[in-house]
Amino acid sequence: MLYPIGTKTRTVMDLNGLWNFKLGEHHPSDLLSTKEVMVVPTSFNDVVVDKEKRQYIGDFWYERFFEVPTLSDTEELVVRFGSVTHHAKVYINGELIGEHKGGFTPFECVIPESLYSDETNLKISVCANNELNYSTLPVGNYIEEEQEDGTNKKVVKENFDFFNYAGIHRPVKLIIRPKIHIEDIVITTELNDTLTTADIKATVVTSSPIDAIEMTIIDEDRQVVERLTDGQATIHNPRLWEVLDAYLYNLHVEIIKDGQVVDSYDEKFGIRTVKVENGQFLINNKPFYFKGFGKHEDTFINGRGLNEAANLMDLNLLKEIGANSFRTSHYPYSEEMMRLADRMGVVVIDEVAAVGLFQNFNASLDLKPTDRGTWQVMETHEAHEQAIRELVKRDKNHPCVVMWVVANEPASHEEGAHEYFEPFVKLYKELDPQDRPVTLVNMLISTPENDKVMDLVDVISLNRYYGWYVDHGDLAKGAKGLKDELEKWQELYPEKPILMTEYGADTLPGLHSMWDIPYTEEFQVDYYDMHHRIFDEIPNLVGEQVWNFADFETNLMIIRVQGNHKGLFSRNRQPKQVVREFKKRWTNIPNYNYKTK
Ligand code: GCB
């Protein structure tokens, strides 16, 4: 789906700002009976400053008015949402014009002409809903609790370790575009072996038949590099999109009907290769080493709502500490973040919100690999397929994206896991025009002995907590467990790279000890030191992504102290002691050829 930009044929207006807001029942043809307002975009939870409202589950409403802009007969009016978490129904003057399931991808609704032909002002209402259950992604445990007054209250117990923030999380735009318009652009870049010639192919999907398409490639100096013929062009000696040294070309597209340019659009792209070969992860034909983080979209006040200043600061901190990559754990991040990563040359592993695919995950910290019947009770097939389709549609042209994640920590050791995941791994491969590698992020009870899915994926991604959830506080035992397990994976799949996608220890800044006592800053330093010594001994281990970049908000749990504190940075982005150690290590590890075979 195209990002909303203004061009000579398109106008984009902002519907961000203050909306009327109400939790609970409402009929969209009425005016919203409320004095409450809400900022768009943001999560509603923290800004309402009310404990009950913060935890509210169910329908909640947004409403505002806007003036109908002047449109010609050949134009249409569209409202586009960057994301509404988790479900949305959109109404104009009380009439339903669109609906979307899934809280992390954009959607748009064309406003029917009949609704504005006689109106100068329109009322837009959004019915959002934050219920999660065994058919949604992420997966939640949905219950209704009887209250003292006999009424039922909806409750979602997260089947995952982050707060179920909700709201209109990303920008809302009003777009005037031609009725005959560009719907999608697919760009592929094929490099020769020496990376000196790039064949560019671009396919344009239009809303209805047109006569011709004109496409030109423009470089960062705004010079025309090539014109495409039949959707193809060759660039000699291209500037590659390199890790932390990004270079973006711009594809300028014009579609022509009856001799007129009816729509135009600019799509940025990068020229680079990604490949998995012989246990290595190659970018631009060189063995790449991932240094970085699992993250969250999580800041004070905004919750999971778009915070572009925080995004920029996070990527600047990431570069400052010597890192080069992050994973969009545990859902697709904003389009603004993806565009920023493209520009900064930061490598991204792109994940759908397939988290919590584990029956009764919250029930205990019992890490025995019993079969809890997960694959008999999950009803997530439809949501999972939609999530993958929408993610690839949105992110396919981003050079920063080098790999797709099919799920985070599912019950991949349970009977039925292989059958569940096989079609989704295939789906990614079918849909992705760039044929990027696909991975599944495996949890610590799915071991080389009992895992049922890693044969399906290109990269073995592991979340491991030796010395934390396993042998808590005992780093010597943890080291042994970690080393033994990594060696087994290496032996089992010698052709597949191994990536540590999570490892970490909760650490409260300011807590110190002479010894390596869990939760202290010293323990965090020793914990990582132990891991890094082992990582360096495993030939196929192609990277380390720490859990987590920063502390983040979670649901209430006995193991959480106002959130998860595994961050290298606190929630307000102050460094913990370990940051200096990471900076030393990571500035000494090159992006390429760290482990040559
Ligand atoms: C995990 C999950 C992540 C949690 C983390 C933890 O394995 O993928 O969402 O936050 O562990 O800290 O327990």
Side-chain angles (χ1 to χ4, degrees):
M1 177 177 283
L2 299 180
Y3 186 73
I5 56 164
T7 69
K8 64 181 172 197
T9 56
R10 292 166 172 243
T11 307
V12 178
M13 288 175 283
D14 220 333
L15 290 183
N16 294 339
L18 291 184
W19 293 51
N20 301 326
F21 181 72
K22 189 182 175 187
L23 302 173
E25 299 295 303
H26 167 64
H27 197 282
S29 50
D30 300 338
L31 283 180
L32 199 58
S33 55
T34 183
K35 287 253 174 271
E36 208 159 348
V37 289
M38 185 50 59
V39 171
V40 169
T42 190
S43 297
F44 75 77
N45 309 81
D46 289 349
V47 295
V48 288
V49 194
D50 177 297
K51 189 180 167 204
E52 279 301 306
K53 289 180 180 172
R54 182 175 193 262
Q55 293 166 347
Y56 173 84
I57 296 292
D59 283 348
F60 49 102
W61 291 83
Y62 292 76
E63 174 198 83
R64 65 166 282 169
F65 292 83
F66 63 90
E67 187 130 327
V68 182
T70 311
L71 269 74
S72 74
D73 289 350
T74 57
E75 289 174 323
E76 63 184 18
L77 196 56
V78 179
V79 57
R80 185 192 196 273
F81 296 81
S83 73
V84 180
T85 312
H86 297 282
H87 314 283
K89 287 184 184 156
V90 181
Y91 301 84
I92 293 287
N93 287 353
E95 292 228 11
L96 183 69
I97 61 158
E99 190 170 351
H100 185 257
K101 287 187 188 166
F104 304 95
T105 37
F107 62 96
E108 55 184 38
C109 316
V110 178
I111 304 179
E113 238 170 288
S114 56
L115 294 180
Y116 58 82
S117 44
D118 297 329
E119 302 279 348
T120 52
N121 231 284
L122 291 182
K123 182 180 78 168
I124 178 165
S125 326
V126 178
C127 176
N129 179 290
N130 58 355
E131 291 167 32
L132 294 173
N133 55 43
Y134 270 30
S135 73
T136 61
L137 293 184
V139 177
N141 300 287
Y142 178 83
I143 45 174
E144 292 188 5
E145 276 176 1
E146 198 180 329
Q147 304 298 286
E148 271 175 19
D149 64 3
T151 59
N152 275 347
K153 181 178 158 189
K154 296 175 173 177
V155 174
V156 167
K157 301 244 183 258
E158 293 93 334
N159 213 40
F160 46 84
D161 182 33
F162 52 91
F163 189 82
N164 182 23
Y165 279 116
I168 301 184
H169 275 160
R170 297 178 190 157
V172 186
K173 306 280 182 187
L174 191 64
I175 304 170
I176 303 171
R177 71 176 174 208
K179 283 181 186 155
I180 303 174
H181 57 266
I182 301 165
E183 269 192 343
D184 200 8
I185 300 170
V186 184
I187 305 170
T188 57
T189 63
E190 193 80 35
L191 277 150
N192 66 346
D193 289 348
T194 53
L195 309 182
T196 48
T197 311
D199 288 327
I200 316 295
K201 284 197 185 121
T203 313
V204 177
V205 183
T206 56
S207 58
S208 51
I210 43 137
D211 300 335
I213 304 176
E214 298 273 349
M215 289 191 267
T216 43
I217 298 171
I218 298 158
D219 67 13
E220 287 193 359
D221 296 323
R222 301 183 165 268
Q223 300 303 309
V224 173
V225 182
E226 286 294 333
R227 284 183 202 288
L228 279 76
T229 315
D230 296 331
Q232 302 196 22
T234 301
I235 303 182
H236 297 286
N237 299 315
R239 269 287 303 269
L240 299 182
W241 187 92
E242 262 299 356
V243 177
L244 302 182
D245 180 20
Y247 192 89
L248 295 176
Y249 289 93
N250 182 41
L251 183 73
H252 179 71
V253 181
E254 296 189 340
I255 58 170
I256 293 152
K257 174 109 181 156
D258 300 329
Q260 302 281 324
V261 173
V262 286
D263 192 15
S264 74
Y265 192 85
D266 289 285
E267 177 79 337
K268 297 241 180 348
F269 67 98
I271 301 179
R272 53 114 187 81
T273 65
V274 174
K275 211 178 343 172
V276 163
E277 210 174 74
N278 187 27
Q280 296 182 318
F281 196 97
L282 307 177
I283 297 182
N284 292 336
N285 290 353
K286 295 168 288 190
F288 175 67
Y289 196 79
F290 292 84
K291 303 175 279 178
F293 305 92
K295 281 184 95 295
H296 265 296
E297 289 188 318
D298 174 282
T299 53
F300 282 115
I301 305 173
N302 302 53
R304 191 141 295 120
L306 177 66
N307 184 337
E308 290 205 74
N311 285 349
L312 179 57
M313 181 163 177
D314 284 3
L315 294 197
N316 279 332
L317 286 169
L318 179 147
K319 279 175 67 175
E320 175 62 23
I321 188 178
N324 55 23
S325 60
F326 68 91
R327 172 169 64 112
T328 73
S329 41
H330 293 308
Y331 36 80
Y333 289 3
S334 67
E335 293 161 290
E336 290 74 13
M337 182 57 142
M338 305 307 283
R339 290 162 75 89
L340 184 63
D342 276 349
R343 282 178 69 160
M344 293 179 69
V346 174
V347 169
V348 177
I349 300 175
D350 213 356
E351 183 160 305
V352 280
V355 57
L357 291 158
F358 196 123
Q359 156 81 332
N360 213 3
F361 182 70
N362 278 0
S364 68
L365 265 179
D366 169 19
L367 294 172
K368 284 190 214 77
T370 40
D371 195 321
R372 298 182 189 183
T374 297
W375 306 108
Q376 282 77 58
V377 295
M378 284 297 150
E379 296 166 5
T380 43
H381 288 85
E382 198 184 314
H384 211 144
E385 180 178 336
Q386 184 198 340
I388 290 174
R389 285 189 186 281
E390 291 188 7
L391 183 67
V392 178
K393 201 165 173 48
R394 192 193 76 164
D395 287 352
K396 58 187 176 300
N397 292 333
H398 284 291
C400 66
V401 175
V402 300
M403 180 155 65
W404 307 108
V405 179
V406 73
N408 180 73
E409 299 201 338
S412 57
H413 54 285
E414 292 187 26
E415 226 31 82
H418 193 275
E419 293 73 6
Y420 179 89
F421 282 110
E422 195 170 22
F424 294 130
V425 174
K426 279 197 184 139
L427 184 64
Y428 264 132
K429 303 239 170 221
E430 270 164 40
L431 296 173
D432 181 14
Q434 292 190 12
D435 202 22
R436 294 169 180 91
V438 175
T439 192
L440 179 142
V441 176
N442 158 300
M443 81 178 299
L444 60 89
I445 55 176
S446 300
T447 60
E449 289 81 17
N450 63 27
D451 166 79
K452 299 192 176 11
V453 298
M454 283 316 202
D455 60 317
L456 294 169
V457 295
D458 302 298
V459 172
I460 309 285
S461 294
L462 303 174
N463 293 351
R464 289 297 178 271
Y465 288 92
Y466 286 101
W468 192 257
Y469 293 125
V470 181
D471 296 324
H472 184 70
D474 188 337
L475 293 179
K477 265 198 197 153
K480 187 174 177 329
L482 175 66
K483 186 161 188 284
D484 287 353
E485 190 186 344
L486 287 175
E487 282 172 351
K488 283 184 195 153
W489 285 111
Q490 163 90 38
E491 201 183 308
L492 192 60
Y493 294 111
E495 291 305 311
K496 299 192 190 208
I498 303 169
L499 178 60
M500 195 56 70
T501 31
E502 286 183 24
Y503 61 119
D506 286 83
T507 305
L508 298 176
L511 203 60
H512 292 286
S513 162
M514 291 294 282
W515 302 280
D516 53 0
I517 302 288
Y519 296 97
T520 64
E521 299 206 40
E522 286 75 10
F523 182 83
Q524 195 182 28
V525 170
D526 291 351
Y527 171 95
Y528 280 116
D529 191 50
M530 174 278 270
H531 282 77
H532 295 154
R533 270 184 282 122
I534 293 165
F535 292 174
D536 287 342
E537 291 173 19
I538 308 293
N540 279 19
L541 196 127
V542 298
E544 46 200 61
Q545 290 193 329
V546 169
W547 191 256
N548 186 285
F549 175 78
D551 294 350
F552 59 91
E553 185 62 318
T554 63
N555 48 336
L556 302 180
M557 267 189 289
I558 209 150
I559 54 165
R560 295 288 170 255
V561 190
Q562 214 182 40
N564 186 311
H565 289 271
K566 295 195 184 68
L568 260 50
F569 296 90
S570 62
R571 200 178 184 210
N572 59 6
R573 276 54 180 171
Q574 296 305 303
K576 298 181 189 173
Q577 187 175 318
V578 76
V579 162
R580 283 167 177 255
E581 306 301 321
F582 267 96
K583 191 171 173 181
K584 271 185 232 154
R585 173 173 170 82
W586 282 349
T587 45
N588 280 317
I589 296 181
N591 295 327
Y592 294 114
N593 295 311
Y594 179 49
K595 291 179 179 169
T596 35
K597 290 196 164 181

